[in-house]
């Protein structure tokens, strides 16, 4: 998985324009933490440290939902709800037509 190509596609597809600051930071964090096959596991504590300790949990939930809705990340919900970590698969942005 070429992470630089994915970042370039994020910008060129227009998807970046659809994301909030929280969503962009979360996507970049998950992309950076993913393995070569795009799969990743990240502790919630790392996400909290990255987004800030005053970051309300609902904002993380909304950012995760939005990234899934846009097809950027697919979360493994069997492990996500109860665990202290997020398991996920990174997907390349689709062209939205927005530049």
């Amino acid at each position: 998985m070429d992470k630089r190509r994915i970042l370039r596609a994020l910008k060129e597809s227009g998807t970046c324009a659809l994301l909030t600051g929280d969503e962009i930071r979360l996507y970049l964090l998950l992309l950076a933490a993913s393995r070569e096959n795009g799969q990743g596991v990240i502790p919630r504590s790392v996400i909290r440290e990255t987004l800030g300790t005053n970051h309300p949990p609902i904002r993380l939930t909304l950012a995760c939902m939005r990234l899934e809705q846009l097809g950027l990340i697919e979360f493994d919900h069997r492990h996500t709800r109860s665990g202290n970590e997020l398991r996920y698969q990174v997907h390349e942005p689709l062209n939205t037509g927005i530049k």
Side-chain angles (χ1 to χ4, degrees):
M1 179 169 101
D2 184 347
K3 294 178 182 183
R4 285 183 291 189
R5 183 176 53 80
I6 289 176
L7 290 175
R8 193 170 27 258
L10 184 68
K11 180 183 176 215
E12 292 173 357
S13 70
T15 305
C16 195
L18 302 174
L19 300 174
T20 66
D22 286 344
E23 294 161 353
I24 291 171
R25 282 193 304 276
L26 181 58
Y27 184 69
L28 292 175
L29 175 64
L30 297 176
L31 179 63
S34 67
R35 295 186 294 265
E36 198 57 36
N37 63 3
Q39 294 178 346
V41 177
I42 189 166
R44 290 180 188 268
S45 60
V46 171
I47 295 172
R48 279 193 298 273
E49 288 174 22
T50 302
L51 298 180
T53 54
N54 293 331
H55 195 273
I58 188 66
R59 284 176 53 190
L60 173 60
T61 301
L62 293 174
C64 288
M65 289 172 49
R66 181 75 171 138
L67 291 177
E68 263 195 319
Q69 181 183 45
L70 291 171
L72 296 173
I73 301 287
E74 181 180 344
F75 292 99
D76 182 348
H77 293 286
R78 295 172 297 173
H79 298 280
T80 300
R81 297 201 196 287
S82 61
N84 288 327
E85 60 189 22
L86 293 178
R87 295 176 187 220
Y88 61 93
Q89 172 73 45
V90 174
H91 296 289
E92 190 167 331
L94 301 174
N95 193 339
T96 63
I98 299 173
K99 297 278 179 172

